Amino acid sequence: MGVSNNITAVLNFVAIICSIPIIASGIWLASKPDNECVANFRWPILIMGLLILLVSLAGFVGAYWNKQGLLALYLFSMALLIALLLILLVFAFVVTRPDGAYDVPGRAYKEYNLRGFSSWFRNRVTGSGSWHKIRPCLAASDVCTKLTLNYITADQFFASHISPLQSGCCKPPTVCGYSFVSPVLWTNPVNPTADPDCYSWNNDQNQLCYDCNACKAGLLGNLRKEWRKANIILIVAVVVLIWVYVIACSAFRNAQTEDLFTRYKQGWV
């Protein structure tokens, strides 16, 4: 195995290692309760990480055993995957850039406005067809029941930093003026006309605020927060992969030159 192929093999080993955090990010996203309920957002990163792993393994095998055809296929496939990863990154940043969060006086947590998110993000997740499937999934999760285990008094709850999903789905909007009984039990609204969601709130544990616009906004806030965290890992990964790819291209050309030179010497002799 020539020096250039040695370099390519090492670079592909780095790419294999680089695929691991991408796969881990995909698994982390897919395991979140909100992503479990929004199927379209569960798998893109995980699938991308697995494809990068397979292509890197092919490149490693091609370099180690000097399979030029396999190396050429690796370079083409990796270029395509890097381009797709860049498109995914840019797209994710664009659609998750608007933030519908706003502060509530006397509360440590934020509440969320549906109109504060991008139209594509909003329509894709909270459209009538999508929400009919998402709503029962959220109601069947333990997102809201967890609150009753962690917070007992109103002061504890109001000082908490609950997730956007919990803020939107597990309690009524603060503007309605409901009285706290427990994190998922509220009574006697003093301002029930302040927001249409005030009428949607129901103390039935299967209802709560799952029909509220605030719940839809909270889901978007959760997805935005999680995808922003995953994007940090993806940025680091794509920078490393581009660096690996550029050097691998150079090593591939050098390997071809070495092969031609070796054949020339053999022909000369």
Side-chain angles (χ1 to χ4, degrees):
M1 185 168 63
V3 175
S4 295
N5 282 344
N6 271 322
I7 294 172
T8 304
V10 171
L11 290 171
N12 278 286
F13 183 71
V14 173
I16 290 170
I17 295 175
C18 191
S19 70
I20 294 174
I22 299 177
I23 294 172
S25 296
I27 294 173
W28 175 75
L29 280 174
S31 66
K32 291 293 183 179
D34 48 347
N35 280 283
E36 288 181 0
C37 297
V38 187
N40 292 338
F41 287 81
R42 292 187 69 184
W43 308 117
I45 292 181
L46 180 59
I47 292 172
M48 190 70 68
L50 290 172
L51 288 175
I52 290 172
L53 175 62
L54 291 175
V55 170
S56 300
L57 284 171
F60 181 83
V61 171
Y64 192 83
W65 278 283
N66 195 26
K67 303 292 185 180
Q68 296 299 309
L70 193 57
L71 280 173
L73 178 63
Y74 151 75
L75 290 174
F76 172 79
S77 300
M78 186 58 76
L80 182 61
L81 287 175
I82 290 173
L84 289 174
L85 193 56
L86 283 170
I87 292 171
L88 178 63
L89 265 174
V90 172
F91 181 74
F93 268 113
V94 170
V95 300
T96 62
R97 183 179 58 82
D99 182 7
Y102 61 90
D103 293 319
V104 181
R107 307 289 189 267
Y109 52 77
K110 294 179 182 292
E111 293 187 353
Y112 296 81
N113 190 316
L114 193 56
R115 293 188 298 274
F117 296 93
S118 68
S119 58
W120 183 92
F121 199 30
R122 184 172 63 245
N123 294 335
R124 186 68 176 176
V125 176
T126 66
S128 58
S130 301
W131 193 251
H132 282 314
K133 298 177 182 178
I134 295 170
R135 186 206 176 284
C137 178
L138 292 176
S141 71
D142 61 353
V143 169
C144 293
T145 55
K146 285 181 178 179
L147 294 176
T148 60
L149 301 176
N150 296 328
Y151 309 106
I152 299 174
T153 68
D155 289 341
Q156 288 178 333
F157 184 71
F158 295 154
S160 65
H161 294 277
I162 58 177
S163 70
L165 188 62
Q166 290 171 327
S167 175
C169 302
C170 306
K171 63 169 191 59
T174 302
V175 70
C176 301
Y178 276 86
S179 298
F180 176 94
V181 178
S182 80
V184 292
L185 183 61
W186 301 72
T187 60
N188 303 324
V190 298
N191 195 17
T193 61
D195 191 295
D197 285 346
C198 300
Y199 292 106
S200 297
W201 170 259
N202 194 311
N203 282 319
D204 183 338
Q205 297 303 293
N206 292 318
Q207 299 292 327
L208 298 181
C209 220
Y210 294 121
D211 291 319
C212 298
N213 285 330
C215 185
K216 297 176 182 179
L219 175 61
L220 293 179
N222 244 52
L223 291 171
R224 179 187 184 276
K225 183 178 179 181
E226 291 162 2
W227 273 82
R228 286 272 164 159
K229 288 181 179 179
N231 281 348
I232 296 173
I233 296 175
L234 293 182
I235 289 171
V236 175
V238 78
V239 169
V240 174
L241 287 173
I242 291 173
W243 173 78
V244 165
Y245 182 78
V246 170
I247 299 177
C249 284
S250 178
F252 179 71
R253 287 195 298 268
N254 289 339
Q256 289 181 313
T257 302
E258 289 173 4
D259 187 53
L260 287 173
F261 184 70
T262 300
R263 291 180 182 177
Y264 175 77
K265 286 181 64 178
Q266 289 173 346
W268 174 266
V269 174

